[in-house]
Amino acid sequence: MSNLLKRISGPEDLKGLSMDELETLAGLIREEIIQTISSTGGHLAPSLGAVELTIALHRFFDSPVDKIVWDIGHQAYAHKILTGRLERFHTIRQTGGISGFLKRKESIHDVWEAGHASTAISAALGMAKARDLQGEDYKVVAVIGDGAMTAGVAFEALNNAGHSKNDLMVVLNDNSMSISKNVGALSIYLGQLRSDPTYSRMRNDISSLVRKIPRFGDAMANTADKIKDSFKYLVIPGMLFEELGFKYFGPIDGHNLADLESVLNSASKVKGPVLVHVITHKGKGYKYAEADAANFHGPGPFDIVSGKIVKKPAAPSYSSVFGSALVDLAKEDQNITAITAAMPDGTGLSAFQKEFPDRFFDVGIAEQHAVTFAGGLASSGLKPVVAIYSSFLQRAYDQVLHDIALQNLPVVFALDRAGIVGADGETHHGIYDFAYLRNIPNMVIMAPKDENELRDMLKTAVLHDGPISLRYPRGSSQGLEPKKVEPLEIGKAEVLKEGKDITLVAIGSMVYKALEAAEILKEKGIRATVINARFVKPLDIETISHWAKKTGKVLTIEEHVKMGGFGSAVLEALSAQKISASTRVLALPDEIIEHGDTEELLHMQDLDAEGIVKQAMELLYSAGNKKWFRGSTKAAEK
Ligand SMILES: Cc1ncc(C[n+]2csc(CCOP(=O)(O)OP(=O)(O)O)c2C)c(N)n1
């Protein structure tokens, strides 16, 4: 039996296994996931909860001909293991290794890519439509969590699918958790379905009773079915989904392989859209993850025996600095309110939630609603602070522009996880926010160089009468002694070092790296000016032009894509001022940056001290300053 897992090279190998073997297999998959994730970190609890569901889906359907669309993809480790990636599973989330989410180039069984929530039903409906238009014959299944179901886009898809009548199966993997406890009316409704067995019992009782009556039994059973139809409006589980045009199956135990198989069998015979409601236990099979699914949603490396998550001694995270700074400000200003879209812990807002429960709002995975809701609060005199990861705010571009900026409403946007985020990869890198915020009128854009500046910027933000944003990276802050919190002058940069040969203008996470680079340049006899820009908008063009004229060379540095970012803003401003200087923008290229170790990824893009030095030297060389290169021109030949 111990080789059972190794014998599975693809979903077809599941078909001949007995129920006992499948149960053993579920245990082996769990062991593999726990072992691996304890050393790599990753989405442990979501994947442990979906093991039997994954086995059942792959045994019943014929992937990749039948298409299984996983929402987000963070619960799909068993899917990876069962679709030929067992050997590479230990490389998950590491530089050059397999992704923590699904990737079409990684496997023919990954038919859809995500990372952001709630897209599965829309994508699956598109596939079902394409299948029907092309006259093909296969099944399409979307697997979506109860957390992901709270997003507007999931409702839009249900609305469209229920009306369209194409064959489509939605499996609702309900564990009552988002990352934290799921919130909202839908979550309460699902809770009632989970806990109320009345209808299923009654349905079975009525049918079996009347069928037992000789001669008239069948006819009466049909009448009873009709009675059930009208009665169901009062008691039928899943009525919400039925009214939206789906046939509802469930709720059923998502860890019982036989029940899963039987419900998939029944549901797949029904024409049109069906919804199978499956109840699972997040973290199933690992006691610490079952007991604390929120902390084990996506832990770093942990000790399997004690369940302790390995924490390197490090300075407080930017998220927690933000969270406690906001609590301090909220003590002085009762208009300050805080909003999260299903990430109270990740954004550092749980401290605020504890201290000011009435002024804290978790709106579910609903970034668009979060922003417009903040607009409503702001229009009525409150001061909302919306804390959302940079990559998730991409969803709410129109809300930021249309609902907040056009009305010049005082909403603070706190963008966490800005820059390269590492192991979560391309869906989660927060590298587009300067670009998508810069073109929005009235928007002020800031990025602190360290946690003290973050505190100052947050104070600046809550005092500002209009839309304003600050972005800060994932992970630890600089570990500085806190200093007195002071608001900053909006649009004013800070000159950290003066030198005559080149100007390094850096923003946010790149400021200390620019300072380090300036020290290395000094050893080569090159004197650099280092400017901490602080603001992308309004840009301190006065300070930047002054140093551009003085040094004749400007290197801008940011942890963001080149197009439309901070460097673009500097180039536009220098050009508008007709200042001719040799310029270079050091930023991320117009390419997909995959997952990996953050420092390694930044190094590959020259976004560290060594890379900044290299880029500065190249700029000096191409600007004709050859004196520093005698004897060693190699690095500068580009
Ligand atoms: C648009 C968006 N917002 C936030 C997140 C962060 N996030 C990842 S998983 C998750 C919870 C999902 O809950 P659910 O769909 O119930 O799946 P579970 O993890 O419980 O299996 C959240 C909020 C995201 N991936 N996408």
Side-chain angles (χ1 to χ4, degrees):
M1 278 296 199
S2 64
N3 280 331
L4 182 59
L5 185 54
K6 293 200 179 119
R7 288 203 333 252
I8 309 291
S9 59
E12 60 288 351
D13 294 331
L14 295 173
K15 316 262 174 189
L17 299 186
S18 67
M19 278 294 158
D20 280 353
E21 285 174 313
L22 291 174
E23 263 160 33
T24 307
L25 184 70
L28 295 171
I29 292 173
R30 284 207 166 86
E31 255 172 49
E32 177 66 32
I33 294 176
I34 295 166
Q35 279 294 340
T36 303
I37 304 308
S38 71
S39 70
T40 61
H43 287 109
L44 183 78
S47 283
L48 289 179
V51 172
E52 286 83 6
L53 177 60
T54 311
I55 294 177
L57 288 169
H58 273 303
R59 189 168 139 92
F60 185 77
F61 293 105
D62 287 317
S63 174
V65 176
D66 293 335
K67 298 188 191 310
I68 305 172
V69 181
W70 298 92
D71 200 85
I72 306 175
H74 68 311
Q75 74 292 61
Y77 293 174
H79 163 83
K80 285 189 178 246
I81 289 172
L82 292 174
T83 53
R85 283 167 275 184
L86 175 63
E87 291 300 316
R88 296 185 66 207
F89 192 62
H90 68 280
T91 68
I92 194 164
R93 293 161 53 88
Q94 294 160 66
T95 319
I98 61 170
S99 168
F101 297 97
L102 300 183
K103 289 283 160 277
R104 283 148 63 97
K105 70 173 184 194
E106 217 177 79
S107 168
I108 49 171
H109 298 278
D110 294 4
V111 294
W112 185 251
E113 297 188 6
H116 291 196
S118 319
T119 60
I121 307 175
S122 303
L125 179 62
M127 292 174 195
K129 283 268 181 218
R131 171 199 63 204
D132 294 348
L133 278 174
Q134 292 160 348
E136 295 196 37
D137 181 21
Y138 52 82
K139 301 276 182 198
V140 182
V141 188
V143 186
I144 182 167
D146 57 302
M149 197 64 116
T150 60
V153 61
F155 282 96
E156 290 167 29
L158 285 176
N159 180 48
N160 190 198
H163 169 75
S164 75
K165 305 293 176 223
N166 297 80
D167 284 353
L168 170 71
M169 184 184 290
V170 173
V171 175
L172 174 58
N173 173 19
D174 178 6
N175 53 27
S176 78
M177 297 287 290
S178 193
I179 291 180
S180 305
K181 190 94 196 96
N182 202 4
V183 294
L186 179 72
S187 162
I188 292 170
Y189 173 71
L190 294 177
Q192 284 161 359
L193 293 189
R194 278 192 301 269
S195 60
D196 182 7
T198 334
Y199 178 75
S200 353
R201 216 183 37 238
M202 187 161 48
R203 182 175 48 189
N204 296 339
D205 289 355
I206 294 175
S207 280
S208 58
L209 255 176
V210 291
R211 277 183 209 286
K212 280 183 195 144
I213 304 174
R215 286 192 55 200
F216 299 109
D218 279 352
M220 282 179 73
N222 290 341
T223 313
D225 277 344
K226 285 197 190 117
I227 296 170
K228 265 190 309 178
D229 264 1
S230 45
F231 199 58
K232 76 184 181 184
Y233 286 89
L234 294 176
V235 288
I236 195 171
M239 200 55 228
L240 174 69
F241 302 108
E242 293 264 339
E243 294 286 24
L244 282 169
F246 281 74
K247 284 272 167 291
Y248 173 89
F249 288 77
I252 66 143
D253 176 357
H255 300 298
N256 183 319
L257 282 159
D259 284 2
L260 282 167
E261 193 149 305
S262 125
V263 78
L264 292 176
N265 193 26
S266 312
S268 67
K269 288 189 179 131
V270 172
K271 289 267 141 232
V274 294
L275 186 134
V276 177
H277 185 188
V278 168
I279 309 300
T280 58
H281 194 151
K282 200 161 176 172
K284 173 88 176 166
Y286 181 54
K287 66 174 178 183
Y288 298 110
E290 285 188 22
D292 186 1
N295 264 320
F296 279 93
H297 175 86
F302 59 93
D303 177 61
I304 297 179
V305 178
S306 67
K308 292 237 155 41
I309 296 168
V310 181
K311 289 217 167 78
K312 293 190 200 117
S317 68
Y318 278 104
S319 314
S320 69
V321 171
F322 158 76
S324 53
L326 191 61
V327 168
D328 292 346
L329 291 167
K331 283 180 186 156
E332 284 157 24
D333 180 350
Q334 61 182 21
N335 284 332
I336 291 178
T337 50
I339 301 166
T340 176
M343 320 279 293
D345 296 332
T347 55
L349 281 182
S350 28
F352 191 101
Q353 178 179 19
K354 252 191 221 120
E355 191 91 24
F356 307 106
D358 296 344
R359 288 152 64 184
F360 167 82
F361 307 99
D362 180 350
V363 298
I365 306 180
E367 288 78 7
Q368 296 167 306
H369 162 65
V371 171
T372 305
F373 168 65
L377 295 174
S379 71
S380 308
L382 294 183
K383 171 59 77 173
V385 177
V386 187
I388 295 185
Y389 291 5
S390 161
S391 82
F392 300 149
L393 191 65
Q394 285 162 201
R395 291 233 156 147
Y397 176 78
D398 185 55
Q399 282 72 16
V400 177
L401 197 162
H402 174 270
D403 298 331
I404 308 301
L406 296 188
Q407 302 184 74
N408 201 23
L409 291 172
V411 174
V412 178
F413 295 96
L415 275 62
D416 201 323
R417 311 300 200 264
I420 294 290
V421 298
D424 281 335
E426 57 263 43
T427 52
H428 283 58
H429 293 320
I431 55 178
Y432 306 99
D433 52 288
F434 290 156
Y436 70 68
L437 292 175
R438 253 191 74 208
N439 51 29
I440 294 182
N442 288 324
M443 178 62 72
V444 173
I445 307 174
M446 309 180 276
K449 67 175 183 300
D450 57 37
E451 62 270 39
N452 283 334
E453 207 162 75
L454 186 156
R455 293 184 183 100
D456 290 348
M457 284 183 177
L458 192 58
K459 176 139 194 177
T460 313
V462 296
L463 293 174
H464 181 65
D465 190 17
I468 185 163
S469 70
L470 63 158
R471 55 116 74 176
Y472 39 90
R474 181 178 201 279
S476 323
S477 59
Q478 302 287 331
L480 304 176
E481 275 301 308
K483 60 160 206 44
K484 187 169 181 304
V485 180
E486 310 265 16
L488 300 173
E489 185 184 338
I490 289 190
K492 194 82 198 116
E494 174 190 37
V495 179
L496 294 171
K497 200 176 181 67
E498 297 188 0
K500 63 180 179 21
D501 298 321
I502 186 169
T503 303
L504 309 179
V505 198
I507 183 97
S509 59
M510 287 295 126
V511 172
Y512 282 103
K513 295 187 176 179
L515 278 171
E516 254 181 79
E519 285 306 306
I520 303 172
L521 288 168
K522 195 169 148 195
E523 285 162 21
K524 297 176 189 289
I526 300 164
R527 309 280 156 171
T529 290
V530 178
I531 301 176
N532 166 21
R534 284 183 173 160
F535 294 83
V536 174
K537 187 179 168 182
L539 192 66
D540 185 355
I541 194 56
E542 206 182 307
T543 302
I544 297 172
S545 337
H546 170 83
W547 287 99
K549 280 192 236 156
K550 220 160 173 173
T551 62
K553 275 133 317 212
V554 177
L555 177 65
T556 67
I557 313 155
E558 70 203 283
E559 197 174 335
H560 182 277
V561 293
K562 197 177 271 189
M563 284 188 194
F566 168 67
S568 295
V570 172
L571 296 189
E572 285 163 23
L574 289 175
S575 143
Q577 304 259 318
K578 300 197 169 40
I579 293 168
S580 64
S582 297
T583 53
R584 182 174 273 230
V585 172
L586 174 51
L588 294 164
D590 183 23
E591 285 165 17
I592 291 169
I593 313 275
E594 294 192 344
H595 60 278
D597 174 81
T598 301
E599 295 310 316
E600 280 171 27
L601 294 174
L602 289 173
H603 177 71
M604 286 182 220
Q605 302 297 339
D606 282 347
L607 287 172
D608 57 6
E610 194 187 314
I612 296 170
V613 169
K614 187 173 131 211
Q615 295 275 342
M617 301 288 282
E618 284 172 18
L619 175 59
L620 289 165
Y621 189 82
S622 60
N625 299 85
K626 308 269 158 73
K627 65 178 174 180
W628 292 294
F629 300 93
R630 273 177 214 122
S632 64
T633 54
K634 227 174 161 198
E637 287 303 344
K638 269 199 204 158

